[in-house]
Amino acid sequence: MPENVRAMVLKEPGKYELRSFPYPKPQKGAAVVKMIMSGICGTDKHSYKGEDTQYGGTKNEVHVPYPIIQGHENVGIIEEIDEEGAKNLEFNGEILKVGDRVTWSPDVICGKCYECRYVSGYSWCQHMQGLYGNGLSCEAYPHLFGGFSEYCYIMPGAHVFKVPEELSDECAMLAEIMSCSWNVDKAKEFYSFSGEGFQVNDTVVVIGVGPLGMSHLIKAHILGAGKLIAMDTSDWKLNLAKEFGATHTYNVSGTTVEERVEFIEQITKGRGADVVIECVGRPQMFADCLKYVRKGGMVLEPGNFVDAGDISISPHLICAKNIRIIGQSSLVYNAFTPAMDMMVNFADRIPFERMVSHHYGLEQTEEAIVKSMAPDSMKVVVCGNK
């Protein structure tokens, strides 16, 4: 084992520093993983820019505890693990061993509070143990709580998922963001009860087709959306969206909300979209979604995970159109394995690896963050041992 581990530390917004930490000896029930790659999430971009309030307005509200090692969309190889960790860390009950390729949920929950017991899948824990890449400072031992590093420490109680042999490293890394699209499954489920959500051949609009939006677009395509409309300011991303099932694309640059409404209504015979999914992460986009959706339609809001400010909306519009709104705060931890299985099963029809547009080494982390904000990038990854 190495004596020291290199990791890229975000000291404060806008300031990275390559640091060296002692290689951690895993405690009982823990593990150490040698990093393969870590995806840059929208949350990482927000933290870099100083927009660091998460779960705002709830008892779980947290602020990024700089300095941190970012990176929570991770895949790596188990370097060290004890008997207890081998038996208990894998979410599906598989026995883990050194050399196994794994990914893991960023949220380490207590498993005993009301939310952990009764709200399946969502990390609403009252006693959160830690948030990889977002909520754990690197100041205290064992330091390595993020994927922008050569190694990562897996604490007892984390949800670890063994990666299927058929899945590439890139697809394994995508398991976290694919798990964030579980609200599309919920929208599909709603239709069987009251005609809300969507059925086969209905219209779904995705606002913002970066990695989060693209994962939702892919899920809507797989679940049978007929007209699948992608909206963005980047022609590069919109062209890629066609490869993932978009039937219509619209570059919104320089357009008005009225023009965008007209575009959607032309496609939907004047009704509006059955489901609109906001994945830009800017509050005004949510207000626009209320205008795009049909009467009795549904708006999914997974994009504004970080508090980016307030907007003014009319609740009357929600009532007048009978709009159902579903928010999703981050990932669903019991969706990791289904997401990986989905990518295996649809590999011959959907080019999942195309979601990863750029690879960077650890020393290039800041360059990678900047690139991830460019219009010609999709999922950008940092390779800790490149």
Side-chain angles (χ1 to χ4, degrees):
M1 307 301 173
E3 292 185 6
N4 296 296
V5 176
R6 297 184 310 148
M8 188 62 76
V9 174
L10 184 62
K11 297 171 55 179
E12 58 185 81
K15 291 187 179 181
Y16 282 107
E17 180 179 85
L18 189 63
R19 291 188 186 177
S20 179
F21 297 93
Y23 178 88
K25 184 67 178 175
Q27 67 188 105
K28 188 176 181 181
V32 176
V33 170
K34 184 175 183 178
M35 287 300 304
I36 297 174
M37 65 178 62
S38 182
I40 293 175
C41 175
T43 311
D44 299 318
K45 305 173 202 178
H46 282 294
S47 299
Y48 177 73
K49 293 187 288 186
E51 300 166 344
D52 58 12
T53 300
Q54 301 168 13
Y55 301 105
T58 74
K59 292 180 179 179
N60 281 0
E61 181 173 320
V62 295
H63 300 268
V64 174
Y66 305 100
I68 61 168
I69 300 170
Q70 295 174 297
H72 59 271
E73 300 173 356
N74 299 320
V75 59
I77 298 172
I78 294 178
E79 185 85 0
E80 280 195 85
I81 192 168
D82 70 354
E83 183 177 1
E84 184 170 325
K87 290 180 178 179
N88 297 324
L89 281 174
E90 213 283 327
F91 185 81
N92 300 296
E94 293 195 44
I95 302 300
L96 293 173
K97 64 182 183 302
V98 171
D100 281 343
R101 195 166 47 123
V102 296
T103 183
W104 57 98
S105 171
D107 301 333
V108 185
I109 60 177
C110 75
K112 297 178 180 180
C113 68
Y114 176 86
E115 282 79 7
C116 284
R117 296 291 193 186
Y118 291 97
V119 185
S120 175
Y122 293 96
S123 302
W124 295 343
C125 178
Q126 296 177 19
H127 312 292
M128 190 73 75
Q129 309 299 294
L131 298 170
Y132 275 88
N134 281 307
L136 291 163
S137 173
C138 63
E139 289 283 65
Y141 186 86
H143 308 292
L144 306 177
F145 296 118
F148 297 175
S149 177
E150 294 176 319
Y151 291 84
C152 192
Y153 187 87
I154 308 298
M155 66 181 72
H159 293 147
V160 177
F161 305 87
K162 191 173 179 179
V163 175
E165 290 183 8
E166 311 96 305
L167 211 60
S168 67
D169 294 333
E170 283 78 6
C171 284
M173 179 274 304
L174 291 172
E176 193 272 351
I177 196 164
M178 284 296 179
S179 80
C180 294
S181 70
W182 223 240
N183 49 10
V184 184
D185 297 79
K186 180 61 66 176
K188 182 78 171 186
E189 174 188 320
F190 262 87
Y191 195 88
S192 62
F193 292 101
S194 60
E196 298 175 77
F198 74 102
Q199 65 172 332
V200 171
N201 290 324
D202 273 354
T203 301
V204 175
V205 175
V206 181
I207 312 300
V209 284
L212 181 66
M214 204 69 83
S215 68
H216 282 74
L217 187 144
I218 289 169
K219 180 64 72 65
H221 176 51
I222 288 174
L223 291 179
K227 297 182 179 69
L228 188 48
I229 304 170
M231 290 186 164
D232 204 285
T233 58
S234 166
D235 284 332
W236 187 91
K237 292 178 180 178
L238 291 171
N239 286 330
L240 186 59
K242 295 175 185 177
E243 297 185 34
F244 290 110
T247 58
H248 299 75
T249 60
Y250 190 71
N251 191 317
V252 301
S253 300
T255 66
T256 65
V257 66
E258 290 78 17
E259 289 170 333
R260 298 192 289 273
V261 168
E262 181 181 1
F263 176 79
I264 293 169
E265 290 186 348
Q266 286 175 349
I267 295 170
T268 59
K269 298 181 180 180
R271 288 193 300 271
D274 298 288
V275 175
V276 180
I277 310 173
E278 192 288 305
C279 294
V280 176
R282 290 298 171 187
Q284 182 55 46
M285 297 300 102
F286 174 75
D288 292 349
C289 289
L290 301 179
K291 299 176 182 178
Y292 302 152
V293 71
R294 67 167 169 83
K295 293 178 181 178
M298 183 175 287
V299 173
L300 306 182
E301 176 50 77
N304 279 280
F305 175 63
V306 171
D307 188 351
D310 299 327
I311 56 169
S312 175
I313 63 172
S314 172
H316 170 70
L317 182 59
I318 298 171
C319 293
K321 295 179 74 172
N322 280 36
I323 299 171
R324 174 84 67 176
I325 299 170
I326 298 180
Q328 179 164 329
S329 59
S330 189
L331 59 95
V332 180
Y333 59 76
N334 58 6
F336 272 66
T337 297
M340 288 192 286
D341 289 343
M342 178 189 73
M343 286 187 278
V344 170
N345 293 335
F346 283 86
D348 61 337
R349 284 160 281 178
I350 297 176
F352 293 102
E353 279 89 356
R354 292 273 288 142
M355 281 270 283
V356 180
S357 62
H358 296 82
H359 296 72
Y360 287 88
L362 190 60
E363 298 88 346
Q364 301 169 297
T365 296
E366 186 161 18
E367 184 181 347
I369 286 281
V370 173
K371 185 62 182 180
S372 72
M373 303 180 198
D376 61 344
S377 71
M378 189 52 57
K379 177 59 67 178
V380 177
V381 300
V382 174
C383 303
N385 286 279
K386 186 175 180 180

